[in-house]
Amino acid sequence: MHERQRRAAISSVPVLAQTLANVTLVTVDDCDCGPGVSDELDALLYGGGDDRFDVAIVLFPDEHAQSLSVTRGEVETRVKRVLLIVIDGTWKEAKKIARRNREHWEKAARDWEARGASLHYVCLDNEEGVAEDGETMPKRSIYGDLRREPMEGCMSTLEAVASALMMLEPKETGRILKDSLLHAFKGMVSIQEQFQKRGQVAKLEQYGGVSKAEAVEVKRLELHRQQKTINAVNVDKDTSALVQREYVFYTSHTDFRHRQQLTQQGEVVTCTYDEARDHCIELNRDRKRGQRVAMLPLDAFEKHLRQSHDE
Protein backbone atom coordinates (compact mmCIF):
# COMPACT_ATOMS: atom_id res chain seq x y z
CA MET A 1 0.00 0.00 0.00
CA HIS A 2 1.36 3.40 -0.92
CA GLU A 3 1.87 5.75 2.05
CA ARG A 4 -0.31 8.48 0.52
CA GLN A 5 -3.24 6.08 0.26
CA ARG A 6 -2.87 5.08 3.90
CA ARG A 7 -3.40 8.72 4.89
CA ALA A 8 -6.27 9.30 2.45
CA ALA A 9 -9.64 9.88 4.10
CA ILE A 10 -11.50 7.80 1.51
CA SER A 11 -9.05 4.91 1.10
CA SER A 12 -10.76 1.51 1.10
CA VAL A 13 -7.85 -0.53 2.49
CA PRO A 14 -8.18 0.57 6.15
CA VAL A 15 -11.80 -0.59 5.99
CA LEU A 16 -10.61 -3.87 4.48
CA ALA A 17 -8.03 -4.38 7.24
CA GLN A 18 -10.61 -3.72 9.96
CA THR A 19 -13.22 -6.02 8.43
CA LEU A 20 -11.14 -9.11 7.69
CA ALA A 21 -8.85 -11.18 9.89
CA ASN A 22 -5.45 -12.37 8.63
CA VAL A 23 -4.69 -9.18 6.71
CA THR A 24 -1.09 -7.97 6.60
CA LEU A 25 -0.74 -4.33 5.59
CA VAL A 26 2.65 -3.21 4.25
CA THR A 27 3.10 0.52 3.60
CA VAL A 28 5.81 1.88 1.30
CA ASP A 29 6.94 5.43 0.51
CA ASP A 30 8.96 4.99 -2.67
CA CYS A 31 7.10 2.00 -4.20
CA ASP A 32 9.90 -0.44 -3.22
CA CYS A 33 8.50 -3.74 -1.92
CA GLY A 34 11.67 -5.78 -2.33
CA PRO A 35 13.42 -7.99 0.23
CA GLY A 36 14.46 -6.16 3.39
CA VAL A 37 11.77 -3.48 3.22
CA SER A 38 9.36 -5.26 5.57
CA ASP A 39 9.97 -8.21 7.89
CA GLU A 40 6.35 -9.29 7.47
CA LEU A 41 6.57 -9.20 3.68
CA ASP A 42 9.89 -11.06 3.74
CA ALA A 43 8.35 -13.85 5.83
CA LEU A 44 5.30 -14.16 3.59
CA LEU A 45 6.76 -13.73 0.11
CA TYR A 46 10.53 -13.97 -0.20
CA GLY A 47 13.00 -16.83 0.24
CA GLY A 48 10.41 -19.34 -0.94
CA GLY A 49 7.67 -17.68 1.05
CA ASP A 50 5.60 -18.95 3.93
CA ASP A 51 5.35 -22.72 3.51
CA ARG A 52 1.80 -22.66 4.87
CA PHE A 53 0.70 -21.37 1.45
CA ASP A 54 0.51 -23.50 -1.68
CA VAL A 55 0.09 -20.61 -4.10
CA ALA A 56 0.57 -16.84 -4.06
CA ILE A 57 -1.38 -14.68 -6.47
CA VAL A 58 -0.76 -11.01 -7.19
CA LEU A 59 -4.07 -9.35 -8.02
CA PHE A 60 -2.99 -6.90 -10.71
CA PRO A 61 -3.89 -6.65 -14.43
CA ASP A 62 -0.36 -7.33 -15.66
CA GLU A 63 -0.03 -8.15 -19.35
CA HIS A 64 0.78 -11.77 -18.42
CA ALA A 65 -1.91 -12.06 -15.73
CA GLN A 66 -4.32 -14.95 -16.10
CA SER A 67 -7.99 -14.79 -15.29
CA LEU A 68 -8.83 -15.54 -11.68
CA SER A 69 -11.51 -17.92 -12.89
CA VAL A 70 -8.72 -20.13 -14.28
CA THR A 71 -6.78 -20.00 -11.02
CA ARG A 72 -9.97 -20.83 -9.16
CA GLY A 73 -10.01 -24.27 -10.76
CA GLU A 74 -6.47 -24.90 -9.53
CA VAL A 75 -7.42 -23.77 -6.03
CA GLU A 76 -10.45 -26.04 -5.89
CA THR A 77 -8.55 -29.14 -7.04
CA ARG A 78 -5.28 -29.10 -5.10
CA VAL A 79 -4.59 -25.91 -3.15
CA LYS A 80 -5.13 -25.68 0.59
CA ARG A 81 -4.17 -22.08 1.34
CA VAL A 82 -3.73 -19.07 -0.94
CA LEU A 83 -1.70 -15.92 -0.29
CA LEU A 84 -3.56 -13.07 -2.00
CA ILE A 85 -1.31 -10.06 -2.69
CA VAL A 86 -3.02 -6.81 -3.61
CA ILE A 87 -1.40 -3.54 -4.69
CA ASP A 88 -3.14 -0.43 -3.38
CA GLY A 89 -2.63 3.13 -4.57
CA THR A 90 -3.75 5.39 -7.35
CA TRP A 91 -3.58 3.75 -10.77
CA LYS A 92 -0.29 5.57 -11.42
CA GLU A 93 1.17 4.49 -8.07
CA ALA A 94 0.00 0.89 -8.46
CA LYS A 95 1.60 0.58 -11.90
CA LYS A 96 4.81 2.05 -10.52
CA ILE A 97 4.86 -0.45 -7.63
CA ALA A 98 4.27 -3.37 -10.02
CA ARG A 99 6.93 -2.17 -12.46
CA ARG A 100 9.57 -1.38 -9.84
CA ASN A 101 9.19 -4.75 -8.07
CA ARG A 102 8.84 -6.98 -11.12
CA GLU A 103 12.35 -8.45 -10.79
CA HIS A 104 11.87 -9.10 -7.07
CA TRP A 105 8.61 -10.94 -7.69
CA GLU A 106 9.98 -12.93 -10.64
CA LYS A 107 12.80 -14.11 -8.37
CA ALA A 108 10.26 -14.90 -5.65
CA ALA A 109 8.20 -16.92 -8.17
CA ARG A 110 11.24 -19.08 -8.97
CA ASP A 111 11.84 -19.65 -5.25
CA TRP A 112 8.21 -20.69 -4.78
CA GLU A 113 8.44 -23.09 -7.71
CA ALA A 114 11.58 -24.62 -6.20
CA ARG A 115 9.53 -25.84 -3.24
CA GLY A 116 6.65 -27.04 -5.40
CA ALA A 117 4.42 -23.98 -4.96
CA SER A 118 3.57 -21.18 -7.39
CA LEU A 119 3.37 -17.40 -7.57
CA HIS A 120 1.74 -15.58 -10.48
CA TYR A 121 -0.36 -12.58 -11.51
CA VAL A 122 -4.13 -12.79 -11.81
CA CYS A 123 -6.86 -10.38 -12.85
CA LEU A 124 -10.59 -10.27 -12.37
CA ASP A 125 -13.04 -10.93 -15.15
CA ASN A 126 -15.08 -7.88 -16.12
CA GLU A 127 -18.05 -7.43 -13.83
CA GLU A 128 -21.08 -6.06 -15.59
CA GLY A 129 -24.24 -4.38 -14.41
CA VAL A 130 -27.54 -3.84 -16.17
CA ALA A 131 -28.56 -0.40 -17.38
CA GLU A 132 -32.14 0.91 -17.37
CA ASP A 133 -32.53 0.01 -21.04
CA GLY A 134 -31.57 -3.59 -20.30
CA GLU A 135 -28.12 -3.44 -21.86
CA THR A 136 -25.07 -4.63 -19.96
CA MET A 137 -22.44 -2.09 -18.94
CA PRO A 138 -19.29 -2.15 -16.78
CA LYS A 139 -20.20 -2.23 -13.11
CA ARG A 140 -19.56 1.08 -11.39
CA SER A 141 -17.53 1.37 -8.19
CA ILE A 142 -19.33 2.03 -4.91
CA TYR A 143 -17.25 5.20 -4.69
CA GLY A 144 -19.61 6.74 -7.26
CA ASP A 145 -18.88 10.45 -7.66
CA LEU A 146 -16.86 10.55 -4.44
CA ARG A 147 -13.74 9.35 -6.19
CA ARG A 148 -13.01 9.17 -9.89
CA GLU A 149 -11.72 5.82 -11.11
CA PRO A 150 -9.01 5.81 -13.83
CA MET A 151 -11.25 4.19 -16.43
CA GLU A 152 -14.71 2.73 -16.90
CA GLY A 153 -15.23 -0.57 -15.11
CA CYS A 154 -12.51 -0.02 -12.49
CA MET A 155 -13.23 -0.55 -8.82
CA SER A 156 -11.67 0.13 -5.44
CA THR A 157 -9.08 -2.19 -3.88
CA LEU A 158 -11.64 -3.41 -1.36
CA GLU A 159 -14.18 -4.24 -4.06
CA ALA A 160 -11.51 -6.12 -6.03
CA VAL A 161 -10.56 -8.15 -2.95
CA ALA A 162 -14.23 -8.88 -2.23
CA SER A 163 -14.73 -10.20 -5.77
CA ALA A 164 -11.54 -12.27 -5.55
CA LEU A 165 -12.53 -13.84 -2.22
CA MET A 166 -15.97 -14.60 -3.62
CA MET A 167 -14.25 -16.81 -6.19
CA LEU A 168 -11.48 -18.27 -4.03
CA GLU A 169 -13.45 -19.15 -0.91
CA PRO A 170 -16.12 -21.86 -0.66
CA LYS A 171 -19.42 -20.62 -2.07
CA GLU A 172 -21.25 -19.63 1.12
CA THR A 173 -18.13 -18.31 2.86
CA GLY A 174 -17.20 -16.26 -0.18
CA ARG A 175 -20.65 -14.69 -0.36
CA ILE A 176 -20.60 -13.77 3.34
CA LEU A 177 -17.12 -12.26 3.04
CA LYS A 178 -18.06 -10.20 0.01
CA ASP A 179 -21.30 -8.94 1.57
CA SER A 180 -19.50 -8.00 4.80
CA LEU A 181 -16.77 -6.09 3.00
CA LEU A 182 -19.14 -4.21 0.73
CA HIS A 183 -21.47 -3.37 3.63
CA ALA A 184 -18.59 -1.83 5.61
CA PHE A 185 -17.33 0.01 2.53
CA LYS A 186 -20.77 1.45 1.73
CA GLY A 187 -20.96 2.73 5.30
CA MET A 188 -17.64 4.56 4.94
CA VAL A 189 -18.62 6.01 1.56
CA SER A 190 -21.97 7.16 2.96
CA ILE A 191 -20.25 9.04 5.79
CA GLN A 192 -17.82 10.70 3.38
CA GLU A 193 -20.68 11.70 1.07
CA GLN A 194 -22.36 13.45 4.01
CA PHE A 195 -19.14 15.38 4.67
CA GLN A 196 -18.96 16.22 0.98
CA LYS A 197 -22.52 17.59 0.96
CA ARG A 198 -21.80 19.75 4.01
CA GLY A 199 -18.74 21.10 2.27
CA GLN A 200 -20.76 21.86 -0.85
CA VAL A 201 -23.32 23.82 1.19
CA ALA A 202 -20.53 25.79 2.88
CA LYS A 203 -18.92 26.55 -0.47
CA LEU A 204 -22.23 27.72 -1.93
CA GLU A 205 -22.52 30.18 0.95
CA GLN A 206 -18.90 31.24 0.52
CA TYR A 207 -19.22 31.87 -3.21
CA GLY A 208 -22.58 33.61 -3.22
CA GLY A 209 -24.86 30.71 -4.06
CA VAL A 210 -22.79 29.21 -6.87
CA SER A 211 -20.28 26.40 -6.84
CA LYS A 212 -16.57 27.08 -6.47
CA ALA A 213 -16.02 25.97 -10.06
CA GLU A 214 -18.62 28.46 -11.31
CA ALA A 215 -17.17 31.26 -9.15
CA VAL A 216 -13.67 30.52 -10.44
CA GLU A 217 -14.94 30.54 -14.02
CA VAL A 218 -16.69 33.90 -13.53
CA LYS A 219 -13.50 35.31 -12.04
CA ARG A 220 -11.47 33.90 -14.91
CA LEU A 221 -13.76 35.49 -17.50
CA GLU A 222 -13.63 38.83 -15.67
CA LEU A 223 -9.83 38.76 -15.56
CA HIS A 224 -9.78 37.81 -19.22
CA ARG A 225 -12.04 40.76 -20.06
CA GLN A 226 -9.86 43.13 -18.04
CA GLN A 227 -6.74 41.83 -19.74
CA LYS A 228 -8.31 42.38 -23.16
CA THR A 229 -9.12 45.96 -22.16
CA ILE A 230 -5.56 46.54 -20.96
CA ASN A 231 -4.16 45.04 -24.15
CA ALA A 232 -6.41 47.28 -26.24
CA VAL A 233 -5.23 50.36 -24.30
CA ASN A 234 -1.62 49.30 -24.74
CA VAL A 235 -2.15 48.90 -28.47
CA ASP A 236 -3.65 52.37 -28.61
CA LYS A 237 -0.71 53.75 -26.66
CA ASP A 238 1.77 51.97 -28.86
CA THR A 239 0.06 53.44 -31.91
CA SER A 240 -0.25 56.92 -30.43
CA ALA A 241 3.39 56.88 -29.39
CA LEU A 242 4.33 57.15 -33.06
CA VAL A 243 1.83 59.92 -33.90
CA GLN A 244 2.73 63.59 -33.44
CA ARG A 245 0.09 65.91 -32.01
CA GLU A 246 -0.12 69.40 -30.59
CA TYR A 247 0.17 69.38 -26.80
CA VAL A 248 -0.53 72.10 -24.25
CA PHE A 249 1.21 72.20 -20.87
CA TYR A 250 -0.83 73.82 -18.13
CA THR A 251 -1.34 74.34 -14.44
CA SER A 252 -4.71 74.20 -12.74
CA HIS A 253 -6.40 75.59 -9.67
CA THR A 254 -9.94 75.59 -8.31
CA ASP A 255 -11.68 78.93 -7.80
CA PHE A 256 -14.11 79.88 -5.03
CA ARG A 257 -16.99 78.53 -7.11
CA HIS A 258 -15.28 75.13 -7.24
CA ARG A 259 -14.56 75.49 -10.92
CA GLN A 260 -11.28 74.16 -12.26
CA GLN A 261 -9.27 76.84 -14.04
CA LEU A 262 -6.53 75.85 -16.51
CA THR A 263 -3.61 78.17 -17.27
CA GLN A 264 -1.40 77.43 -20.24
CA GLN A 265 2.34 77.32 -19.56
CA GLY A 266 4.51 78.16 -22.54
CA GLU A 267 3.89 77.53 -26.20
CA VAL A 268 1.99 74.68 -27.84
CA VAL A 269 4.42 71.86 -28.65
CA THR A 270 4.05 69.44 -31.55
CA CYS A 271 5.49 66.04 -30.59
CA THR A 272 4.69 62.41 -29.86
CA TYR A 273 2.97 61.30 -26.65
CA ASP A 274 6.20 59.94 -25.17
CA GLU A 275 8.06 63.17 -25.96
CA ALA A 276 5.27 65.25 -24.38
CA ARG A 277 5.33 63.07 -21.28
CA ASP A 278 9.11 63.41 -20.93
CA HIS A 279 8.84 67.21 -21.37
CA CYS A 280 6.15 67.34 -18.68
CA ILE A 281 8.38 65.40 -16.28
CA GLU A 282 11.20 67.83 -16.94
CA LEU A 283 8.97 70.86 -16.29
CA ASN A 284 7.89 69.42 -12.93
CA ARG A 285 11.39 68.59 -11.74
CA ASP A 286 11.68 71.59 -9.37
CA ARG A 287 7.98 72.35 -8.87
CA LYS A 288 6.21 71.77 -5.59
CA ARG A 289 2.89 70.07 -5.09
CA GLY A 290 0.05 72.31 -6.27
CA GLN A 291 2.30 74.01 -8.83
CA ARG A 292 2.93 71.07 -11.08
CA VAL A 293 2.26 71.04 -14.80
CA ALA A 294 -0.01 68.62 -16.62
CA MET A 295 -0.50 68.08 -20.33
CA LEU A 296 -3.40 67.67 -22.74
CA PRO A 297 -3.75 67.49 -26.50
CA LEU A 298 -4.60 70.95 -27.82
CA ASP A 299 -8.14 70.01 -28.90
CA ALA A 300 -8.94 68.56 -25.45
CA PHE A 301 -7.50 71.65 -23.75
CA GLU A 302 -9.58 74.02 -25.89
CA LYS A 303 -12.71 71.94 -25.30
CA HIS A 304 -12.22 72.26 -21.54
CA LEU A 305 -11.80 76.05 -21.86
CA ARG A 306 -15.05 76.34 -23.83
CA GLN A 307 -16.95 74.30 -21.27
CA SER A 308 -15.58 76.45 -18.44
CA HIS A 309 -16.58 79.64 -20.29
CA ASP A 310 -20.12 78.36 -20.90
CA GLU A 311 -20.56 77.67 -17.20
Side-chain angles (χ1 to χ4, degrees), residues 54-268:
D54 303 297
V55 62
I57 55 178
V58 181
L59 185 59
F60 185 78
D62 181 82
E63 57 181 348
H64 301 300
Q66 64 184 43
S67 171
L68 184 56
S69 58
V70 176
T71 303
R72 180 184 183 182
E74 178 185 354
V75 171
E76 290 177 342
T77 55
R78 69 178 185 84
V79 173
K80 295 179 180 179
R81 294 197 67 183
V82 177
L83 175 63
L84 177 62
I85 302 169
V86 184
I87 303 173
D88 180 64
T90 64
W91 181 233
K92 181 179 179 180
E93 291 165 351
K95 288 192 294 183
K96 187 175 180 180
I97 290 173
R99 182 177 65 254
R100 183 167 294 184
N101 295 281
R102 180 179 298 278
E103 291 185 5
H104 297 313
W105 294 345
E106 288 177 350
K107 171 65 168 57
R110 292 192 292 271
D111 293 339
W112 278 65
E113 290 175 3
R115 69 173 180 86
S118 65
L119 186 157
H120 52 267
Y121 286 87
V122 298
C123 60
L124 296 172
D125 296 323
N126 289 332
E127 293 194 18
E128 296 182 335
V130 179
E132 293 182 358
D133 57 6
E135 294 186 2
T136 59
M137 57 183 296
K139 193 172 182 180
R140 195 181 186 199
S141 170
I142 291 173
Y143 271 130
D145 295 328
L146 190 63
R147 184 171 186 173
R148 185 175 62 184
E149 298 298 341
M151 62 194 75
E152 192 176 53
C154 289
M155 61 181 69
S156 67
T157 301
L158 181 145
E159 291 170 285
V161 170
S163 296
L165 292 178
M166 179 78 172
M167 299 183 69
L168 293 172
E169 294 287 346
K171 187 174 182 180
E172 186 62 22
T173 303
R175 184 187 62 78
I176 293 173
L177 284 172
K178 183 175 182 179
D179 289 347
S180 299
L181 284 169
L182 296 186
H183 177 75
F185 187 43
K186 288 176 182 177
M188 186 273 282
V189 170
S190 176
I191 292 171
Q192 292 298 329
E193 285 176 339
Q194 292 175 27
F195 287 136
Q196 185 184 59
K197 289 178 181 177
R198 292 177 191 172
Q200 289 172 345
V201 171
K203 285 181 179 179
L204 285 175
E205 294 175 353
Q206 180 180 354
Y207 294 102
V210 299
S211 67
K212 180 179 179 181
E214 291 173 321
V216 169
E217 179 63 13
V218 170
K219 183 66 175 178
R220 186 190 68 80
L221 292 174
E222 176 62 19
L223 291 174
H224 181 67
R225 185 189 65 77
Q226 292 177 1
Q227 188 60 48
K228 286 181 66 176
T229 302
I230 292 172
N231 291 341
V233 171
N234 289 337
V235 169
D236 290 342
K237 286 184 177 179
D238 291 341
T239 304
S240 63
L242 303 176
V243 177
Q244 290 197 340
R245 301 178 65 180
E246 293 181 309
Y247 286 93
V248 174
F249 300 90
Y250 65 92
T251 56
S252 66
H253 72 278
T254 303
D255 63 17
F256 67 97
R257 294 180 180 176
H258 303 286
R259 293 179 301 186
Q260 188 180 33
Q261 302 295 322
L262 305 186
T263 304
Q264 183 174 334
Q265 302 293 320
E267 300 293 327
V268 175

